[in-house]
């Protein structure tokens, strides 16, 4: 396997640094007895997905590891080989030669690649914008469309190619650019459920709806570990807690792909964004993450490891920098850590025009429809591909990428060995996903439109909403009685676009209605018919549903000086603004003076420093971004289902505390894991 030498020795040093004395030793060899260099040797307590200890074999195949115990396993992995697992034997220190057998899938890849030209290989490495399937003089490996775009018949041409062109979309909480699809809560809400079995079912449901819509590649799940509430992408992650992210991320992968890609409905999942996207300074999207090697391995890497152990087939590089190095050109992390230390043998894909983004670290692009924001320049391509990027997401510069790649390979600036390795990784993923053996996809799911927004899937989404709600405050207001007179109001009470959040019928979401979705207000009418009244004067209790407007990526960043008591409420995408909650507080107090109890339901993609608003309410419930099934909110408020949601993040008391996370010694308004019930 080709990899740059940069960073490998540092990784070995890091892995061995914890090994003060060799507890066990051995040597990794192939079937001919030749030493296998840089095999990843780990000690694991199965079925845990994260290793207790790890080391790489040296150039003689030898390894030493400490702290192996009875009941643990030695697991050895390297791309191109079948993994080998041995039980730790008490008192045995020398395990001799451990033989890795070549994975039979490699023989299939050899036979395919034997018939491929360099043009074919480069085309496989290219992800153009649908409906294109031609990349240079050959057929693209993949095509994609951004938020809001969907070509229903793209598959007809893409899947009939000799090597099918896989079609990628950001189905991060459902097939949300397809009308009438089931929209699940965004990941932060799923984090509040703490329910990995539920998340696995959601992964499967999304895969089934993907096949119904002829989509076979998903740019999800995000296994980020967000650390700063000012970041505009907090909701994409499950939690600030590494262990919870690892558990739920792996569960989603199992749902989408089965156990190590054994599901009939399996699609290709993409772990993102590697690495440190949730750790940037001040929470700036695409900014710099200042983190130590220890922090990276302890906090940010385990979710990737867990999902890779479950068979994840693709990893997306991140726009951010880690200690000043853009993640599309970070050889030490892409090749040294991801591909070598974690033995990831799938492919690494760029983010949207991320190759060229590496030339302007920290800058955000203009993705206005039809606007070409840049090209794939030779230096950027050379640096990213040599760093370990395998597939270029180049919807606006595919032609330039292919042309420049041909010149770079011809000149030797990028070796044939490197591009063949990249192509091999892409083909490996396609074979495991069944895209070579069954190019038309699983007949039981492909084009089955009744699966889109099916009653079964909507019930699953409703369950997710129920389990995601977190009750932060309750002064004998909840549960509501179906015999009460309740006035339901607020900006988010009867707007399904607002409750779904971003990546719904568009990159930045929509302020309009989402077809097939049930608003929270409509959910009230379903759960407690006749309880809702038309005016506040008629009511005993007022349910005030307010929150953030949809936003994605840097549009949601807070980059001002005082985040206290502010919510992002302005709809213009070019001029997002955070407005004070003072008017909401005044309204609540007016209602209370008139003798009403006020329960606030907050629609939000992150914890917010809105202590004054929380203090003003008689009850306060966080519904996150619940998606299409608004009735799930009413189920909990009326006590049809008891609230069980727990905070996936520490809730800040004051903006000055941000960043605030579990274990940092800061005391927020509510701790990580908090949640009332009744």
């Amino acid at each position: 396997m080709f990899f740059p030498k940069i960073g490998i020795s540092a990784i070995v040093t890091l892995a061995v640094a914890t090994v003060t004395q060799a507890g066990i030793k051995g040597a990794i060899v192939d079937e001919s007895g030749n030493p296998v260099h840089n095999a990843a040797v780990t000690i694991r307590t199965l079925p845990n997905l994260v290793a207790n200890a790890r080391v790489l074999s040296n150039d003689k195949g030898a390894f030493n590891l400490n702290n192996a115990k009875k009941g643990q396993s030695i697991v050895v992995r390297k791309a191109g080989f079948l993994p080998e697992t041995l039980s730790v034997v008490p008192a045995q220190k020398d395990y001799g030669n451990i033989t890795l057998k070549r994975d039979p899938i490699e023989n299939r890849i050899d036979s395919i690649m034997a018939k491929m030209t360099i043009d074919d290989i480069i085309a496989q490495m290219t992800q153009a914008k649908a409906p294109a399937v031609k990349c240079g003089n050959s057929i693209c490996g993949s095509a994609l469309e951004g938020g809001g775009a969907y070509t229903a018949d793209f598959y007809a041409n893409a899947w009939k190619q000799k090597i099918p062109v896989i079609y990628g979309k950001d189905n991060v909480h459902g097939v949300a650019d397809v009308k009438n699809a089931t929209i699940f809560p965004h990941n932060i809400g799923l984090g509040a459920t703490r329910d990995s079995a539920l998340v696995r079912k959601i992964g499967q449901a999304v895969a089934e709806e993907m096949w119904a819509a002829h989509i076979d590649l998903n740019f999800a799940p995000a296994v980020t570990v967000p650390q700063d509430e000012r970041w505009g992408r907090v909701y994409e992650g499950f939690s600030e807690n590494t262990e919870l992210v690892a558990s739920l991320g792996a569960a989603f992968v199992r749902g989408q792909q089965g156990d190590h890609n054994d599901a009939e409905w399996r699609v290709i999942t993409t772990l993102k964004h590697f690495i440190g996207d949730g750790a940037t300074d001040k929470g700036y999207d695409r900014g710099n993450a200042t983190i130590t090697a220890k922090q990276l391995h302890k906090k940010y890497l385990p979710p990737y490891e867990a999902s890779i152990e479950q068979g994840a087939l693709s990893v997306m590089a991140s726009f951010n920098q880690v200690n000043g190095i853009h993640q599309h050109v970070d050889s030490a992390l892409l090749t040294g850590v991801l591909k070598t230390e974690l033995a990831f043998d799938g492919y690494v894909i760029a983010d949207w025009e991320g190759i060229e983004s590496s030339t302007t670290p920290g800058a955000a692009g203009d993705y206005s429809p039809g606007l070409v924001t840049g090209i794939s320049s030779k230096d950027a391509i050379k640096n990213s591909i040599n760093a370990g990027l395998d597939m270029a997401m180049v919807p606006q510069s595919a032609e330039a990428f292919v042309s420049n790649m041909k010149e770079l390979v011809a000149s030797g600036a990028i070796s044939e060995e490197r591009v063949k390795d990249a192509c091999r990784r892409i083909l490996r993923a396609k074979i495991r996903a069944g895209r070579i053996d069954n190019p038309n996809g699983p007949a039981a799911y492909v084009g089955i439109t009744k699966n889109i927004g099916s009653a079964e899937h909507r019930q699953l989404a409703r369950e997710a909403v129920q389990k995601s709600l977190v009750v932060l405050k309750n002064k004998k207001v909840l549960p509501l009685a179906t015999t009460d007179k309740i006035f339901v109001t607020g900006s988010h009470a009867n707007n399904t676009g607002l409750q779904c959040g971003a990546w719904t019928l568009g990159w930045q979401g929509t302020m309009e209605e989402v077809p097939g979705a049930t608003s929270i207000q409509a959910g009230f009418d379903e759960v407690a018919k006749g309880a809702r009244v038309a005016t506040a004067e008629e009511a005993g209790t007022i349910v005030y549903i307010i929150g953030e407007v949809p936003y994605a990526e840097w549009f949601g960043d807070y980059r001002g000086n005082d985040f206290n008591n502010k919510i992002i409420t302005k709809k213009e995408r070019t001029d997002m603004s955070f407005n004070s909650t003072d008017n909401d507080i005044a309204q609540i107090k007016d209602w209370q003076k008139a003798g009403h109890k006020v329960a606030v339901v907050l629609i939000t993609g992150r914890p917010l420093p809105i202590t004054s608003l929380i203090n003003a309410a008689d009850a306060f419930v966080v519904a996150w971004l619940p998606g299409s099934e608004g009735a799930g909110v009413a189920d909990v408020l009326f006590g049809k289902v008891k609230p069980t949601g727990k905070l996936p993040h520490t809730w800040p008391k004051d903006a000055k505390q941000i960043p605030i996370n579990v274990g940092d010694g800061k005391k927020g308004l509510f701790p990580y894991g908090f949640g009332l019930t009744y």
Side-chain angles (χ1 to χ4, degrees), residues 329 355-356 358-359 376-385:
V329 295
I355 291 177
E356 194 62 23
S358 68
T359 65
S376 291
S377 59
K378 280 188 178 179
D379 282 347
I381 294 170
K382 179 184 70 175
N383 293 337
S384 62
I385 300 300

Side-chain angles (χ1 to χ4, degrees), residues 188-194 229 238-242 244 467-473 607 622 624 643-652 660-663 666 668-677:
I188 192 170
L190 299 184
T193 72
R194 301 288 201 280
E229 281 70 31
F238 294 105
S239 174
E240 70 184 34
N241 179 274
T242 300
L244 183 57
K467 291 182 175 180
S468 70
L469 263 63
V470 179
V471 179
L472 295 183
K473 181 180 181 181
V622 184
W624 310 111
T644 57
K646 304 298 181 185
L647 285 179
H649 290 260
T650 305
W651 196 284
I660 180 171
N661 296 286
V662 63
K666 299 177 184 178
L669 186 63
F670 301 101
Y672 169 84
F674 181 84
L676 301 174
T677 191

Side-chain angles (χ1 to χ4, degrees), residues 371-667:
L371 181 65
V372 177
T373 61
I375 62 169
S376 291
S377 59
K378 280 188 178 179
D379 282 347
I381 294 170
K382 179 184 70 175
N383 293 337
S384 62
I385 300 300
N386 282 337
L389 204 71
D390 302 308
M391 183 180 285
M393 186 186 290
V394 282
Q396 297 169 333
S397 61
E399 184 177 346
F401 173 78
V402 171
S403 175
N404 284 329
M405 273 291 292
K406 290 175 68 174
E407 293 183 22
L408 288 164
V409 173
S411 70
I414 298 174
S415 71
E416 283 195 23
E417 184 182 12
R418 171 76 269 270
V419 297
K420 287 179 178 178
D421 171 61
C423 182
R424 177 173 290 273
R425 288 172 173 274
I426 294 164
L427 293 176
R428 192 181 287 137
K430 288 186 176 184
I431 292 171
R432 286 179 178 160
R435 304 308 295 120
I436 303 295
D437 292 331
N438 188 10
N440 291 321
Y445 299 97
V446 173
I448 308 300
T449 55
K450 68 179 182 180
N451 284 342
I452 296 175
S454 69
E456 180 183 0
H457 292 169
R458 292 195 183 280
Q459 181 56 43
L460 181 65
R462 184 167 177 169
E463 178 186 352
V465 175
Q466 294 165 352
K467 291 182 175 180
S468 70
L469 263 63
V470 179
V471 179
L472 295 183
K473 181 180 181 181
N474 185 20
K475 289 186 174 181
K476 299 181 179 180
V477 178
L478 303 174
L480 303 171
T482 56
T483 55
D484 289 347
K485 292 185 177 181
I486 301 161
F487 180 51
V488 179
T489 188
S491 56
H492 290 54
N494 197 29
N495 187 305
T496 52
L498 294 180
Q499 73 191 41
C500 286
W503 298 107
T504 307
L505 299 180
W507 173 41
Q508 294 291 332
T510 178
M511 306 285 285
E512 307 301 325
E513 294 304 309
V514 175
T518 301
S519 71
I520 298 172
Q521 178 175 295
F524 267 73
D525 294 340
E526 176 186 331
V527 173
K529 188 175 182 180
R532 187 172 64 85
V533 295
T535 65
E537 289 73 20
E538 300 173 70
T541 302
I542 294 171
V543 176
Y544 193 34
I545 307 172
I546 56 176
E548 297 184 311
V549 296
Y551 53 81
E553 303 188 40
W554 67 90
F555 284 105
D557 284 0
Y558 181 77
R559 300 192 179 189
N561 296 319
D562 186 5
F563 199 9
N564 278 318
N565 298 311
K566 290 185 175 67
I567 296 179
I568 189 167
T569 58
K570 195 169 183 179
K571 65 181 181 180
E572 286 80 6
R573 292 292 163 266
T574 56
D575 184 27
M576 280 289 195
S577 65
F578 291 76
N579 292 327
S580 169
T581 59
D582 287 350
N583 289 339
D584 295 311
I585 293 170
Q587 177 64 81
I588 291 169
K589 290 181 177 179
D590 285 345
W591 282 325
Q592 290 169 333
K593 288 177 183 177
H596 304 289
K597 294 287 187 180
V598 181
V600 172
V601 176
L602 183 69
I603 306 299
T604 180
R606 53 189 155 191
L608 293 167
I610 50 173
T611 301
S612 297
L613 180 63
I614 295 172
N615 287 342
D618 297 298
F620 198 94
V621 179
V622 184
W624 310 111
L625 299 169
S628 60
E629 305 313 303
V633 176
D635 289 332
V636 173
L637 295 184
F638 281 99
K640 300 290 186 180
V641 177
K642 289 186 177 182
T644 57
K646 304 298 181 185
L647 285 179
H649 290 260
T650 305
W651 196 284
K653 181 185 297 184
D654 188 279
K656 293 178 181 178
Q657 295 181 309
I658 298 173
I660 180 171
N661 296 286
V662 63
D664 63 8
K666 299 177 184 178
K667 186 177 181 180

Side-chain angles (χ1 to χ4, degrees), residues 41-346:
V41 186
T42 59
I43 298 295
R44 297 180 180 273
T45 306
L46 300 176
N48 293 346
L49 298 175
V50 177
N52 301 91
R54 69 173 66 253
V55 72
L56 298 176
S57 60
N58 64 22
D59 56 1
K60 296 181 180 179
F63 70 90
N64 293 279
L65 267 173
N66 202 14
N67 298 327
K69 301 176 183 178
K70 181 181 179 180
Q72 294 182 322
S73 298
I74 304 167
V75 181
V76 185
R77 293 184 182 276
K78 186 174 175 66
F81 295 90
L82 294 171
E84 189 69 24
T85 302
L86 297 82
S87 296
V88 171
V89 178
Q92 182 176 343
K93 293 185 177 181
D94 191 343
Y95 285 76
N97 287 347
I98 300 174
T99 302
L100 292 183
K101 298 177 181 179
R102 193 171 196 251
D103 191 332
I105 202 174
E106 303 305 310
N107 297 329
R108 294 197 61 195
I109 297 172
D110 288 344
S111 64
I112 295 171
M113 291 188 66
K115 302 173 184 177
M116 296 177 72
T117 65
I118 287 296
D119 282 0
D120 296 331
I121 289 171
I122 291 172
Q124 277 299 306
M125 296 173 65
T126 308
Q127 185 177 66
K129 186 176 182 180
V133 297
K134 194 78 179 296
C135 289
N137 296 320
S138 190
I139 301 300
C140 310
S142 180
L144 84 155
E145 288 186 282
Y150 166 61
T151 303
D153 61 354
F154 173 67
Y155 75 97
N157 190 21
W159 294 358
K160 73 179 183 182
Q161 304 302 323
K162 191 172 182 180
I163 301 175
V165 182
I166 51 179
Y167 179 34
K169 288 282 298 173
D170 289 275
N171 305 298
V172 297
H173 66 144
V175 189
D177 283 331
V178 177
K179 288 185 178 180
N180 296 309
T182 311
I183 313 299
F184 294 90
H186 269 292
N187 282 351
I188 192 170
L190 299 184
T193 72
R194 301 288 201 280
D195 192 335
S196 60
L198 174 68
V199 172
R200 180 174 184 169
K201 291 177 184 177
I202 289 171
Q204 178 178 341
V206 174
E208 291 177 0
E209 296 202 20
M210 285 174 61
W211 280 120
H214 299 96
I215 302 168
D216 52 355
L217 167 60
N218 194 6
F219 301 133
V223 289
T224 177
V225 187
Q227 299 292 290
D228 194 310
E229 281 70 31
R230 292 170 292 188
W231 188 38
R233 309 185 75 163
V234 170
Y235 63 87
E236 293 186 28
F238 294 105
S239 174
E240 70 184 34
N241 179 274
T242 300
E243 184 177 355
L244 183 57
V245 175
S247 171
L248 299 186
F252 188 84
V253 171
R254 287 196 302 273
Q256 291 251 287
Q257 298 183 180
D259 292 313
H260 296 91
N261 300 293
D262 68 350
E264 183 183 5
W265 61 80
R266 66 190 182 276
V267 295
I268 295 176
T269 60
T270 307
L271 310 179
K272 64 183 187 182
H273 306 84
F274 191 86
I275 192 168
D277 53 342
T280 57
D281 303 336
K282 298 183 180 181
Y284 281 17
D285 191 42
R286 307 188 177 203
N288 181 57
T290 306
I291 51 179
T292 66
K294 182 178 180 181
Q295 288 172 327
L296 184 139
H297 277 72
K298 186 176 181 180
K299 181 171 286 188
Y300 303 105
L301 198 61
Y304 287 92
E305 179 181 2
S307 288
I308 288 168
E309 286 296 313
Q310 281 299 317
L313 297 173
S314 174
V315 173
M316 184 181 290
S318 188
F319 281 119
N320 65 276
Q321 305 92 61
V322 172
N323 300 325
I325 303 176
H326 194 289
Q327 287 307 283
H328 280 63
V329 295
D330 196 333
S331 171
L333 295 182
L334 290 178
T335 296
V337 172
L338 179 61
K339 292 184 174 181
T340 308
E341 186 180 341
L342 296 189
F344 173 63
D345 63 359

